[in-house]
Amino acid sequence: ATSLPFFFLTGILQWHFLIKGKVKFLASLYLFALLTNIFLNFIFVPKHSYNAAALTTVISEALVFFVMIWYFRQTKDKD
C-alpha cells in the first residue's frame, strides 16, 4: 500500500510523456526500474522474505516517480 501514491502519480505523468512522444524515455525508465527491482529482490528476498519484496517494490516505484519528476522539470519549457 505504501507504493500506491507513487504508482498513482506516475500514471498521471505517464500520460504527459506519452502525449509528448517520450515513449523511449518511458520504456527505458521502466526497464531500469524492472532491473533494479529484480536485483534488489535477488539480494534481499532470500533473507527477509516478502517484506523485502514489498520494500523493493516501493523503492522501484519511488525511483520511477522521482526520475519522472526530474525529467518533467528538465523538459517542461522545451515543449
Side-chain angles (χ1 to χ4, degrees), residues 5-73:
F6 294 119
F7 186 76
F8 174 75
L9 293 171
T10 56
I12 295 169
L13 287 167
Q14 282 176 16
W15 283 108
H16 167 78
F17 292 123
L18 286 172
I19 290 168
K20 297 294 184 179
K22 305 290 185 184
V23 177
K24 287 184 181 180
F25 163 71
L26 287 173
S28 299
L29 176 59
Y30 277 100
L31 178 62
F32 180 71
L34 170 73
L35 295 174
T36 301
N37 195 321
I38 291 170
F39 176 74
L40 291 173
N41 280 334
F42 182 73
I43 292 172
F44 294 111
V45 167
K47 184 174 181 182
H48 302 287
S49 186
Y50 62 90
N51 291 319
L55 184 59
T56 60
T57 300
V58 172
I59 290 169
S60 296
E61 287 293 334
L63 174 71
V64 168
F65 174 71
F66 289 116
V67 170
M68 281 187 175
I69 290 291
W70 173 81
Y71 192 71
F72 176 78
R73 288 182 176 174

